[in-house]
Amino acid sequence: MSAVMVTLLMLFTIATAATETSPHPYTSIKDNLATKQYATWVWNTYNLFEWDDELDRWTVGVTEKEKYYSFIKNEKFTDIYVQYEPEIFDTYVTTKEFLYYFNTQLNIAVHLLTSGNYMHQTAHEDYQDWLDFKDYIESYNIQLADDATISASDEKYYKFTGIHVDNEPYMHDDWPTEADGGNGDDSDVKAFQDFHITVRTFAHDNGLIFGTDVSDGFEWINYNSDTYGEGVLADWFAKEMDFIVVMSYRLRTDLAIEASQYEVWKGDGANCTFSTKSLPTAITEQKRYRRSNGCAGVMWSLETDDQTWGEYFVSRGIVISFYGRPRSELNNAIATISEYYKDIDYGGFAVHMLPTFYDMGGSKAYFPPPETGSAASTSFSGYYIVAVIAAMIAIGAM
């Protein structure tokens, strides 16, 4: 074979290696301290599963729901919040396959999601949903520990990364309002805090991260109790949760920044006390979820769903969603907000929600921002240099 042919073959091999996306090791996302979380919510869990008549159960829907899986891969999400659906997840082998696929094939951390506006009120039926959710996680972990087909070293591939809660108490009448200066029913606010501490404790006892969605309106909600003292609820969440997702839903980028600003700046404050946390060692090392100063990883988010549910905003003429807008507008908003907060050690960004995010079409958002001197850029530069040297050798041999 001639030197030229050898060189061409080398260049083809090098170019292929440089452009292919090989799967990252399982630990790369969770142990990379520089990586910011980029996430989305999946409320309709059936969007990720398909029914298998032969197996008589739900299976990972990579064939039937391929469009969503392709989108998830192309968007390069690091995390996904998936609603607990008993009909699907109560089948142990289905959950096991699902988690293995996401952890190894997609390298995406799965947070099991639950919601309920009254979940913090123990007398309400929403609280029973929490108890059922809790029982499920305990049951799954027991089955996983007893599964003789999984080695101890591989068990991590079959685990959830975290618990994610969407509890929006401002949807009901007991919650403080802006009109009363954020001073409403102290007992309801305390119950809300109690619930989140309960979930956090449960999550940590089971080796899970705990994240929760937070209203941008928490900056004007006050709390006052013997248990937690007094202060502003946004501060409390930034200090006490592993990470929070601020629902800074606005179409106008300047308003979205304003909506997230309080939690981001306060969450980066010096009053957070890391020593009070009960996180297991394995989780305290995951600084992508908790900032190094002990505060929650404060994330912000934008909306792509139809906003007709947001009566408060609609009645005030505030557009909160990118629904029906071109993807370029959403991408520009993400880029603008990321640039605004580039010097802040924030936790990341989330877009609500699949499948309305998918329906927007268009190209991937510019997030997470590339890290300077990243392994990817260094690797490509190395390939390029080798290719040039190979070409020079070939020319000299001709």
Side-chain angles (χ1 to χ4, degrees):
M1 185 181 294
S2 68
V4 174
M5 289 297 293
V6 170
T7 301
L8 290 174
L9 181 60
M10 287 178 65
L11 290 174
F12 175 79
T13 304
I14 290 167
T16 302
T19 55
E20 278 185 349
T21 303
S22 57
H24 294 293
Y26 171 80
T27 56
S28 65
I29 279 181
K30 299 175 182 61
D31 293 344
N32 182 356
L33 307 188
T35 303
K36 298 187 188 315
Q37 191 179 150
Y38 181 39
T40 191
W41 291 259
V42 179
W43 290 105
N44 184 358
T45 309
Y46 293 96
N47 284 330
L48 299 179
F49 291 85
E50 59 188 48
W51 180 258
D52 190 306
D53 288 328
E54 184 176 341
L55 296 175
D56 194 32
R57 63 175 176 83
W58 292 95
T59 60
V60 180
V62 289
T63 302
E64 184 178 314
K65 310 297 174 64
E66 187 273 337
K67 63 179 184 180
Y68 293 128
Y69 280 89
S70 294
F71 176 75
I72 289 169
K73 289 173 66 176
N74 293 337
E75 199 62 28
K76 293 183 171 60
F77 290 114
T78 64
D79 296 68
I80 193 166
Y81 316 139
V82 181
Q83 170 85 341
Y84 168 55
E85 175 53 61
E87 185 181 19
I88 293 174
F89 285 121
D90 283 0
T91 301
Y92 168 70
V93 67
T94 296
T95 304
K96 187 173 74 166
E97 290 176 352
F98 174 72
L99 290 173
Y100 185 82
Y101 185 81
F102 267 79
N103 283 327
T104 63
Q105 301 302 305
L106 300 181
N107 199 17
I108 295 176
V110 179
H111 304 246
L112 196 61
L113 170 66
T114 187
S115 65
N117 298 334
Y118 297 86
M119 196 170 283
H120 62 292
Q121 297 184 350
T122 56
H124 197 277
E125 61 182 11
D126 281 0
Y127 187 74
Q128 184 59 51
D129 290 341
W130 153 247
L131 295 179
D132 293 341
F133 178 88
K134 173 177 172 289
D135 289 345
Y136 163 73
I137 291 176
E138 291 176 328
S139 174
Y140 176 75
N141 286 342
I142 290 172
Q143 292 179 81
L144 182 61
D146 292 340
D147 191 336
T149 67
I150 300 176
S151 66
S153 61
D154 286 346
E155 194 173 281
K156 61 180 177 288
Y157 302 123
Y158 299 91
K159 287 185 174 181
F160 291 101
T161 292
I163 292 173
H164 199 82
V165 166
D166 183 272
N167 183 359
E168 303 186 41
Y170 39 86
M171 296 292 189
H172 60 77
D173 296 336
D174 297 330
W175 194 251
T177 65
E178 190 173 9
D180 58 27
N183 298 303
D185 185 346
D186 287 337
S187 63
D188 195 55
V189 175
K190 180 181 179 298
F192 187 64
Q193 293 171 291
D194 287 342
F195 173 73
H196 281 80
I197 293 298
T198 297
V199 179
R200 189 190 74 184
T201 300
F202 173 78
H204 294 173
D205 287 347
N206 285 273
L208 299 170
I209 300 291
F210 176 44
T212 188
D213 300 332
V214 173
S215 166
D216 60 279
F218 281 10
E219 66 187 72
W220 43 259
I221 299 295
N222 301 315
Y223 66 89
N224 189 347
S225 69
D226 293 337
T227 304
Y228 305 112
E230 57 182 293
V232 178
L233 198 59
D235 290 349
W236 186 87
F237 267 90
K239 295 171 186 176
E240 296 297 336
M241 302 298 104
D242 295 342
F243 72 91
I244 58 175
V245 181
V246 182
M247 294 181 285
S248 47
Y249 298 162
R250 302 291 189 280
L251 180 62
R252 280 177 50 188
T253 305
D254 59 330
L255 295 180
I257 290 175
E258 181 182 334
S260 66
Q261 204 166 49
Y262 184 90
E263 284 84 351
V264 170
W265 287 107
K266 283 292 184 179
D268 198 49
N271 295 324
C272 302
T273 51
F274 182 78
S275 60
T276 64
K277 304 299 184 294
S278 59
L279 286 166
T281 303
I283 295 179
T284 61
E285 294 173 353
Q286 296 179 15
K287 295 180 183 178
R288 186 168 63 86
Y289 296 100
R290 177 177 293 286
R291 300 300 93 192
S292 58
N293 63 2
C295 296
V298 180
M299 300 172 58
W300 58 80
S301 58
L302 293 176
E303 176 69 275
T304 65
D305 193 16
D306 186 348
Q307 77 168 72
T308 53
W309 55 267
E311 296 179 6
Y312 174 89
F313 298 99
V314 173
S315 64
R316 289 162 174 76
I318 301 172
V319 182
I320 65 173
S321 178
F322 284 81
Y323 181 80
R325 315 289 293 196
R327 175 64 187 270
S328 58
E329 287 191 20
L330 177 66
N331 288 354
N332 289 338
I334 293 174
T336 300
I337 296 172
S338 299
E339 174 65 19
Y340 182 86
Y341 285 123
K342 67 180 179 181
D343 296 324
I344 299 299
D345 192 15
Y346 61 90
F349 202 97
V351 178
H352 190 269
M353 61 176 185
L354 197 81
T356 52
F357 188 17
Y358 165 84
D359 288 340
M360 294 184 77
S363 59
K364 171 182 162 42
Y366 187 65
F367 195 90
E371 303 293 341
T372 302
S374 66
S377 60
T378 303
S379 175
F380 184 82
S381 298
Y383 284 128
Y384 179 76
I385 291 170
V386 171
V388 171
I389 293 173
M392 292 174 65
I393 293 173
I395 292 171
M398 291 176 64

